[in-house]
Amino acid sequence: MNIIRIPVLSDNYIFLLHDVNTNQVAVVDPAQAKPVLVEIDKLGANLVAIFNTHHHLDHVGGNKELLEHYPETVVYGGIKDKGRIPHQKVFLEEGDRVEFAGQKADIYFIPGHTYAHIAYYFPPVDESGWGELFCGDTLFAGGCGRLFEGTPTDMVNSLTKLRNLPDFTRVWCAHEYTLSNLKFAITIDTDNQQLHKRYQQVIIERQQNIATIPSSLQIEKLTNPFLRWDTPTIKSAMGFETPDRVFGRLRGMKDNF
Ligand code: ZN
Ligand code: FE
């Protein structure tokens, strides 16, 4: 399975999964149809699946037009997004599995950004390999999504599920927010040397218009304050002890940053 990253709109990424054996493709969160159709044409491939993480327009905006070109395409999404994702056919719950390119992805129910949000996780195919996590707007590189339809507790529970995945997991999040996320992070986790190093790297990468996605769970666990609500540094910076209050304060500060 090859993963192709397509930048669209101001800061969205669409991910194309290409099965090189069958020349079939699946697409994760098509904000728009046109750029996806162009890539599929280049590959001479056939679209068979749309994997949506949640119902926001910058994730499902291309569904309708893609279906017009590839009527057999199956649209997947969370069960609680029923009625909110255009042309949805499959309604997924935690623990479900979906198959693409002979690989099975585990579905995680990760509410917080929206109440219906899900993630798709493809475990590594062999012991030395990487897993691939498509987490939409829940976990970002250096940050997390805003709480539009959920509480800090929801988000802590959701991010706990993602944090429990192996370090060698590529994080394919849906927005290029890394620089502004890290700019905030260094004001909180002030003495984290790995964070400062990452921030300096990302400044250079963004100056050269290099994508910072995918990230890895290993680097996120070390430097993303939204995965570190239980570290002494973040707890004392927020002045709270319990995960929901630490996280709630942190998210609130980022909202106003
Ligand atoms: Zn969203
Ligand atoms: Fe989004």
Side-chain angles (χ1 to χ4, degrees):
M1 183 169 89
N2 278 346
I3 303 173
I4 300 160
R5 184 188 51 227
I6 310 172
V8 296
L9 304 173
S10 56
D11 49 42
N12 274 84
Y13 290 121
I14 300 172
F15 303 115
L16 215 63
L17 318 184
H18 182 216
D19 179 347
V20 286
N21 295 319
T22 63
N23 210 21
Q24 291 184 328
V25 298
V27 64
V28 180
D29 282 352
Q32 297 179 311
K34 289 265 152 45
V36 176
L37 293 168
V38 168
E39 273 312 313
I40 296 174
D41 280 352
K42 268 196 237 165
L43 297 167
N46 182 34
L47 180 69
V48 296
I50 295 175
F51 296 133
N52 287 130
T53 62
H54 66 296
H55 76 290
H56 285 159
L57 193 62
D58 62 318
H59 299 255
V60 304
N63 282 20
K64 182 170 173 284
E65 200 180 331
L66 289 173
L67 261 288
E68 285 162 11
H69 286 81
Y70 296 95
E72 305 297 305
T73 299
V74 179
V75 178
Y76 297 79
I79 188 166
K80 293 192 174 175
D81 261 333
K82 201 168 197 167
R84 305 206 296 186
I85 293 178
H87 302 280
Q88 185 176 0
K89 276 214 188 67
V90 182
F91 302 89
L92 299 165
E93 292 182 77
E94 172 103 6
D96 281 346
R97 285 177 146 193
V98 298
E99 199 171 339
F100 180 73
Q103 285 179 251
K104 286 194 176 74
D106 298 316
I107 303 305
Y108 289 91
F109 177 52
I110 49 168
H113 177 66
T114 73
Y115 62 71
H117 202 300
I118 60 168
Y120 301 80
Y121 169 66
F122 289 89
V125 284
D126 54 52
E127 265 173 36
S128 60
W130 286 76
E132 316 287 359
L133 173 66
F134 299 93
C135 51
D137 288 354
T138 297
L139 173 63
F140 288 128
C144 77
R146 282 177 186 262
L147 301 179
F148 287 123
E149 299 178 352
T151 63
T153 306
D154 292 332
M155 199 54 144
V156 166
N157 291 338
S158 296
L159 291 173
T160 299
K161 292 178 192 177
L162 303 184
R163 197 173 71 164
N164 285 339
L165 294 171
D167 283 356
F168 287 96
T169 299
R170 289 190 189 93
V171 178
W172 301 89
C173 56
H175 289 272
E176 180 62 64
Y177 290 159
T178 317
L179 184 60
S180 60
N181 284 339
L182 296 179
K183 203 171 183 175
F184 169 73
I186 56 161
T187 69
I188 304 295
D189 204 355
T190 47
D191 295 333
N192 185 332
Q193 291 315 308
Q194 272 144 325
L195 170 59
H196 283 282
K197 206 175 130 213
R198 184 184 188 191
Y199 180 52
Q200 293 307 321
Q201 257 168 17
V202 166
I203 289 174
I204 293 164
E205 284 169 348
R206 293 311 296 150
Q207 278 168 351
Q208 300 172 5
N209 210 21
I210 295 169
T212 64
I213 310 304
S215 172
S216 78
L217 261 189
Q218 183 170 42
I219 188 86
E220 294 309 322
K221 290 176 195 179
L222 292 170
T223 60
N224 185 336
F226 293 93
L227 292 184
R228 296 167 61 75
W229 60 81
D230 46 6
T231 61
T233 327
I234 307 286
K235 283 203 279 194
S236 84
M238 295 301 103
F240 288 116
E241 267 299 314
T242 60
D244 56 325
R245 305 208 57 180
V246 174
F247 190 90
R249 179 97 205 269
L250 186 63
R251 187 57 256 180
M253 287 176 73
K254 176 64 168 65
D255 289 344
N256 296 308
F257 184 66

